[in-house]
Structure formats: C-alpha cells, structure tokens
Amino acid sequence: MKIIQLNLIISSIILIASLGCSTNSSKEGNIEIIEVDENEGFISIFDGQSLDGWEGDSVYWRVENGILTGEISPETVLKNNTFLIWKGGEPADFELKLEFKISENGNSGINYRSEKLEELPFALRGYQADIDGKNTYTGQNYEERKRTTLAYRGQKTNIQPQDPPGVLRDYVEKNAWKGLELVENLGDRDSLKTLIHAEDWNSMHLIIKENVLQHFVNGVLMSEVVDNDPINRSSKGLLGVQVHVGPPMKVEFRDIYLKEN
C-alpha cells in the first residue's frame, strides 16, 4: 500500500513539473511536499521603467522611482477624467493584482472591460474598482459614464436590467443604478474601511469571471457584483488606471500583474 501511495505522489510531482508550474518544495520524512505558487500564470504589464505598453496624457502620467504615477498639480487642473490605458488587449475573464497608494484628496480607480470614448482623449467608459484618498469609496464597483454605482463597499449585489428599457441616466438615482439588488452584506462599510491604509500602500486583487466581478483590497472581499443586465454588461474590454477631476492629488501604482483565464 505504501509503495502504491508513493508512486501516486511521484506521478503527481511529474505531472506538475510537466505543466510548467512554479513550485517550492520541502521534505517531510521521505515525502516531498509540493507548494504551488499562487502567482502562477500572472504576467507583469508594467516594466517599472517606462510607459511602454500604455497610452495616456504625459502631462498627468509618468514613471518615478519605479512607480507608475498619476498626478494633478495646481498648474494642470483637469476638465475631464483621464486614463492611462493598457495597450495589450481587451481581457475578458482575468485576475489583476497590483499595489496602490493615493494622497488624501485623491480620486482614482482601475477600469476594466471598458471602451474608449471617441469624443474625449484617453477617456474610458466601463466597470471601475474605485479608489479614493479618504477611503469613502475604495473597493466599491462604480461603472464610469454608464450605470454608476453597482455595489457599495461591503455589498454583494445582483444587477437587474432597466425596466422598461430607456435612457440609462433615467434609471440612476443618487448616483446608483436602480437595478442594484442587495443580496448579502459582506461586512460593515466603516469597519471594512479600517482595513485600508490611508496614504500608504494597499493591495488590490480583481477576480473577473463571466458576469461575476469581485474586488479585494488587502486580501478582503470589498464588493461583489453579479451582472444580470444582458443589455448593458460587458464581457471584455480595456484596462486602465484613472486620475479623476478634482484638487491637486497623486496616485501611485506598482507591481501590476495580469492573468487571463
């Protein structure tokens, strides 16, 4: 029986190696324990040195000390939200991992499954993982220039279509989609806020699969949307990071990794 079990373990190790998994190993008695790297399959989409592979307005975006930086100064006040857009494709189902830091007066976000606006330069319309310096909205799902709030921080929601169909803005009330159906409270909004570091580095992990959109901050699920709106939901689109209209601010991103599924 021990020989059979050992052969099975050896076969499993060979299979993992043949799939090209990145692993760490350790010994426990005579058995080798395989630990699969949780970052397996992720690729870096920011080289830490330049804006190669991205497009945006260089007035607001630069690389500084290996960090992707967006900034508004008193001399460069914005009239419209502007994005730095990844040129590597239009991910459908994917995971995105990065770290961010934002100044107290900052307003930003990570857009995905989005589309460019023709009438404005470097503008996106679509889903957004919200980020702000006061952490009032960080982690929520806000759909830029479309259905607005789809889930506040601490909410799991189902998004229902407009009934009857009509002008999108007619189905928005108090900056939230009327079809927002609360399914579950993931936690108290203010309590979750205490897990986000003000003016310091935080991790963001987006898990986007079919019509389920999950936003994690520092390893905690902050919002989850199940988009049941077949007319307005998006199945793929552009990735981008935002500098929002407002007072002088600074937002920083580093260690940006993507895995398409």
Side-chain angles (χ1 to χ4, degrees):
M1 210 40 202
K2 289 183 179 178
I3 294 174
I4 294 173
Q5 289 175 344
L6 184 58
N7 286 337
L8 287 173
I9 292 170
I10 292 170
S11 298
S12 298
I13 293 170
I14 293 171
L15 177 60
I16 290 172
S18 69
L19 292 174
C21 291
S22 176
T23 62
N24 295 317
S25 63
S26 60
K27 290 281 189 178
E28 185 173 310
N30 294 320
I31 298 175
E32 187 172 16
I33 306 300
I34 300 298
E35 298 175 4
V36 178
D37 186 352
E38 65 176 8
N39 291 319
E40 177 66 24
F42 284 84
I43 61 168
S44 173
I45 59 172
F46 168 56
D47 65 16
Q49 300 176 10
S50 70
L51 296 179
D52 289 351
W54 299 77
E55 61 178 356
D57 190 335
S58 60
V59 172
Y60 301 99
W61 296 100
R62 67 182 185 276
V63 177
E64 185 175 75
N65 299 321
I67 294 169
L68 182 58
T69 304
E71 187 168 21
I72 300 174
S73 71
E75 295 74 36
T76 60
V77 175
L78 269 174
K79 293 183 179 179
N80 297 287
N81 299 343
T82 191
F83 288 81
L84 187 69
I85 303 166
W86 184 59
K87 298 192 295 183
E90 298 187 11
D93 290 356
F94 67 92
E95 292 185 47
L96 182 74
K97 292 182 178 182
L98 56 73
E99 293 186 347
F100 68 90
K101 181 167 68 171
I102 188 167
S103 61
E104 183 180 5
N105 292 322
N107 193 339
S108 182
I110 305 162
N111 264 57
Y112 59 91
R113 288 188 180 176
S114 295
E115 59 183 344
K116 284 185 183 178
L117 296 180
E118 297 297 330
E119 62 271 23
L120 293 172
F122 309 118
L124 291 178
R125 175 194 291 117
Y127 300 116
Q128 182 180 111
D130 218 333
I131 298 170
D132 72 295
K134 293 181 172 60
N135 289 324
T136 303
Y137 308 109
T138 300
Q140 73 173 18
N141 192 314
Y142 182 87
E143 194 172 43
E144 174 90 357
R145 294 182 178 273
K146 208 168 176 182
R147 291 171 292 177
T148 68
T149 304
L150 301 181
Y152 291 101
R153 183 172 61 234
Q155 289 187 335
K156 178 178 180 179
T157 65
N158 285 339
I159 300 302
Q160 306 301 340
Q162 186 173 2
D163 186 20
V167 178
L168 273 185
R169 299 302 298 185
D170 291 343
Y171 212 61
V172 172
E173 185 175 66
K174 296 181 180 179
N175 209 33
W177 184 246
K178 290 183 181 179
L180 186 165
E181 176 189 327
L182 179 62
V183 174
E184 180 183 343
N185 284 308
L186 300 171
D188 178 73
R189 186 176 178 181
D190 291 332
S191 296
L192 290 172
K193 177 180 178 177
T194 66
L195 304 177
I196 307 169
H197 313 306
E199 298 190 88
D200 202 351
W201 290 104
N202 296 274
S203 68
M204 179 79 80
H205 184 187
L206 308 183
I207 301 179
I208 310 303
K209 185 175 181 181
E210 298 178 349
N211 67 331
V212 182
L213 320 171
Q214 295 179 311
H215 298 174
F216 294 81
V217 178
N218 295 329
V220 178
L221 181 60
M222 295 289 177
S223 67
E224 178 177 321
V225 166
V226 179
D227 196 343
N228 293 317
D229 183 347
I231 296 173
N232 295 306
R233 70 187 178 199
S234 298
S235 60
K236 67 175 185 176
L238 297 169
L239 282 172
V241 288
Q242 181 197 62
V243 166
H244 196 285
V245 170
M249 59 148 284
K250 186 176 183 180
V251 62
E252 299 171 280
F253 299 95
R254 68 184 184 187
D255 298 337
I256 307 175
Y257 292 93
L258 175 70
K259 178 171 72 173
E260 297 190 62
N261 299 320

